Amino acid sequence: MTDVTMDKIVSLCRRRGFVFPSSEIYGGIGSTFDYGHYGVLMKNNIRNEWLRAMVQERDDIVVLDSAVIQNPAVWVASGHVVNFSDPLVDCRTCKLRFRADKLEDSQCGRRPSVHPGEFRECDLTEARQFNLMFQTQVGAMEDAASTAYLRPETAQGIFINFKNVAQLARRKPPFGIAQTGKSFRNEITPGNFLFRVREFEQMEMEFFVPPADAPRWYEYWIEQRLAWHVGLGLRSENLRVREHGVEERSHYSSATSDIEFRYPIGWQELEGVANRGDFDLSQHTEHSGTKLEWIEQDGTRYVPYVIEPAVSIERIFVAMLCDAYHEEVVAERDRTVLRLHPAIAPVKAAILPLIPRSGDMVTRSRALLDDLRARWFVEYDDGGQIGRRYRRQDEIGTPWAFTIDEQTLEDETVTVRDRDSLAQERLPLSGVAAWLEDALRRPWAPPAP
Ligand code: GAP
């Protein structure tokens, strides 16, 4: 990832219809984005791969879909009303607001003055705590009693359903509940494209374990999640695990490790794995009066500890794009290619009639398209020179392109071109679906940069 910048990623996303600035025709709304066709497909693939690893391929985790707006008492019990805040300072010189703990990342104090080469002194107010939860009103009455919050994490929806899922269905720890869905945070300084946004899709799993087993499961989930990212194409050298110091931990955590990725802006948190202990279940028991605990057959009771891997699709999306982005010169022409893992690539294959005016080529191409699209997102592309079509597919990360040409009309074979190696081979038209199925099952690792 030598010369990948966030600007290049933003520009490709926009050019190729992955991601657009939101509300653009009204001047935008800072750090808020809308996803176009390829962005939606790629997000779906990330979510599906997470659900596959967390739920589909295991028998100890189930899924949940809880509400975004919950009883405000949830956020009092969880500690978010009091503790979910960042220190905020205003700069009287720049007239901007910053996170006091991230001042070194900001431009504050580095604004040029009217004298060349000089910088204006920043003049900061005292830091005060700013709660990151978005407030809203529920119902027609606008009074304090109707104030509610947009959830800042999906996790609490899981804890308040512990009784429904665990106790009633008698799921014995260790077991987990997984959830994907939107979370909202009124970040003081959102930015760096999708890295820090105010509206994002979290994928969280709360794994309930007997207290004595918590350290072992904590290590287990760090390893599992690291392996998941590598398995989906992130290069090991761009990933590392960093354990939080005591002062850095969230109010609910007794141990946290970040899986960090080397983004173009430096090493940053991609995913967090936390040991939340019995904090949440105990808090909700105390505040709701409903006992959230596990009762063994012999009547012994305990409050399970919770190990939580938590990540947003946005952070994975950016990491995968940065890791996959590659510029090179092939046959004296520039090529930009997204070497995405085939499972993550928005489009699995392109179908290209070499001569779009040829009725026979179009008929065969369309038949192949109908065959493949029953199972995968594939794309029919007949616009422009074949080389340009290859380049377009390279830029959106399509792993394979099938070209229907004169030879197809003679012997019913097609050319398949590999995005990464650029190798081409011929295979029978009738065998394309089976070939693609097999190719998508093969292990894939990123080519050497
Ligand atoms: N339930 C625990 C929790 O929410 P967190 O570290 O605040 O912990 C978990 O968030 C993950 O959510 C982060 O590792 C990151 O992937 C993602 N995330 C948090 N804030 C985000 C933001 N403003 N924009 C994009 N992703 C964010």
Side-chain angles (χ1 to χ4, degrees):
M1 210 180 34
T2 39
D3 55 355
V4 182
T5 61
M6 209 60 114
D7 284 347
K8 285 186 178 179
I9 300 297
V10 172
S11 150
L12 181 137
C13 280
R14 197 195 168 100
R15 194 168 66 244
R16 288 297 174 210
F18 282 74
V19 182
F20 312 110
S22 186
S23 321
E24 209 179 1
I25 59 170
Y26 288 102
I29 168 165
S31 293
T32 306
F33 298 92
D34 297 336
Y35 289 82
H37 181 70
Y38 298 126
V40 173
L41 297 184
M42 185 166 154
K43 269 175 72 166
N44 289 348
N45 293 339
I46 294 171
R47 188 187 309 104
N48 289 342
E49 288 304 317
W50 187 86
L51 285 169
R52 180 204 303 280
M54 282 292 179
V55 185
Q56 189 179 335
E57 293 178 348
R58 304 180 63 104
D59 48 25
D60 55 359
I61 301 179
V62 293
V63 266
L64 179 81
D65 186 3
S66 68
V68 167
I69 298 175
Q70 298 160 5
N71 188 313
V74 169
W75 306 106
V76 175
S78 69
H80 283 78
V81 169
V82 173
N83 293 313
F84 196 60
S85 50
D86 282 334
L88 171 89
V89 288
D90 289 296
C91 176
R92 297 186 189 96
T93 314
C94 328
K95 309 281 181 239
L96 293 174
R97 297 193 141 172
F98 304 100
R99 265 178 70 170
D101 56 338
K102 299 268 181 204
L103 267 182
E104 68 280 9
D105 300 344
S106 74
Q107 288 300 306
C108 192
R110 280 183 238 135
R111 305 195 151 244
S113 81
V114 282
H115 307 294
E118 283 180 21
F119 291 88
R120 289 190 292 175
E121 282 292 306
C122 51
D123 179 12
L124 300 177
T125 59
E126 283 292 304
R128 61 188 186 284
Q129 290 301 320
F130 174 79
N131 195 291
L132 302 186
M133 283 197 294
F134 276 101
Q135 286 190 13
T136 187
Q137 304 295 131
V138 174
M141 302 292 286
E142 282 197 24
D143 56 19
S146 67
T147 298
Y149 304 98
L150 304 187
R151 67 177 174 204
E153 64 170 6
T154 59
Q156 296 304 324
I158 296 178
F159 298 128
I160 59 174
N161 278 288
F162 179 80
K163 189 171 165 158
N164 294 332
V165 181
Q167 291 172 338
L168 299 184
R170 292 223 42 89
R171 290 199 154 265
K172 182 178 166 56
F175 85 95
I177 304 176
Q179 165 154 241
T180 72
K182 287 267 172 118
S183 285
F184 302 84
R185 295 183 188 180
N186 200 1
E187 298 280 1
I188 298 169
T189 44
N192 289 313
F193 191 34
L194 298 165
F195 178 82
R196 192 176 303 284
V197 278
R198 296 195 170 105
E199 175 183 340
F200 51 98
E201 183 168 343
Q202 274 192 318
M203 305 195 291
E204 299 196 290
M205 194 277 294
E206 310 301 318
F207 202 70
F208 301 94
V209 300
D213 297 346
R216 180 166 67 82
W217 283 109
Y218 172 63
E219 296 302 330
Y220 169 89
W221 278 111
I222 294 170
E223 276 170 32
Q224 287 289 309
R225 295 303 304 147
L226 195 57
W228 184 86
H229 291 291
V230 174
L232 286 174
L234 293 188
R235 289 162 218 266
S236 307
E237 64 265 29
N238 290 331
L239 289 165
R240 71 179 186 193
V241 175
R242 188 182 65 80
E243 174 117 41
H244 282 205
V246 179
E247 68 302 334
E248 205 187 339
R249 289 182 200 149
S250 306
H251 60 277
Y252 50 73
S253 160
S254 47
T256 298
S257 287
D258 286 346
I259 298 175
E260 294 188 331
F261 179 76
R262 197 192 334 216
Y263 291 94
I265 51 172
W267 287 100
Q268 296 284 344
E269 174 182 352
L270 166 63
E271 169 155 6
V273 181
N275 177 353
R276 295 180 78 128
D278 63 0
F279 178 85
D280 302 274
L281 293 184
S282 298
Q283 285 290 110
H284 287 303
T285 296
E286 190 185 319
H287 284 252
S288 70
T290 301
K291 278 199 170 159
L292 302 177
E293 60 184 6
W294 176 251
I295 307 170
E296 295 283 8
Q297 297 284 3
D298 65 4
T300 50
R301 301 160 175 263
Y302 66 88
V303 181
Y305 274 27
V306 173
I307 308 302
E308 174 200 68
V311 66
S312 69
I313 292 189
E314 283 73 5
R315 294 240 173 134
I316 300 174
F317 191 93
V318 178
M320 287 181 167
L321 289 176
C322 292
D323 212 292
Y325 186 94
H326 186 68
E327 291 170 350
E328 61 188 11
V329 178
V330 177
E332 294 176 16
R333 291 187 59 189
D334 293 336
R335 160 171 118 120
T336 300
V337 54
L338 282 185
R339 291 163 160 174
L340 291 167
H341 190 293
I344 298 300
V347 173
K348 305 303 175 206
I351 296 142
L352 316 175
L354 183 66
I355 305 171
R357 292 183 316 278
S358 157
D360 287 342
M361 286 186 205
V362 168
T363 307
R364 279 176 175 72
S365 300
R366 285 260 158 212
L368 181 60
L369 173 72
D370 285 341
D371 186 21
L372 300 186
R373 68 166 25 151
R375 274 186 278 173
W376 302 286
F377 276 95
V378 293
E379 199 164 274
Y380 181 84
D381 192 348
D382 63 358
Q385 298 274 338
I386 192 74
R388 287 186 136 204
R389 286 184 262 166
Y390 283 146
R391 293 287 187 279
R392 196 156 54 219
Q393 295 298 330
D394 288 342
E395 254 198 330
I396 61 165
T398 306
W400 299 287
F402 299 103
T403 304
I404 282 74
D405 54 17
E406 285 93 349
Q407 200 180 325
T408 314
L409 307 184
E410 287 162 20
D411 64 5
E412 298 292 327
T413 62
V414 297
T415 302
V416 56
R417 170 193 181 265
D418 186 280
R419 174 199 70 195
D420 301 330
S421 66
L422 297 174
Q424 302 205 6
E425 61 174 295
R426 287 204 81 88
L427 58 135
L429 185 53
S430 60
V432 169
W435 186 96
L436 185 55
E437 183 162 8
D438 184 54
L440 283 165
R441 277 218 203 100
R442 280 198 294 266
W444 183 91

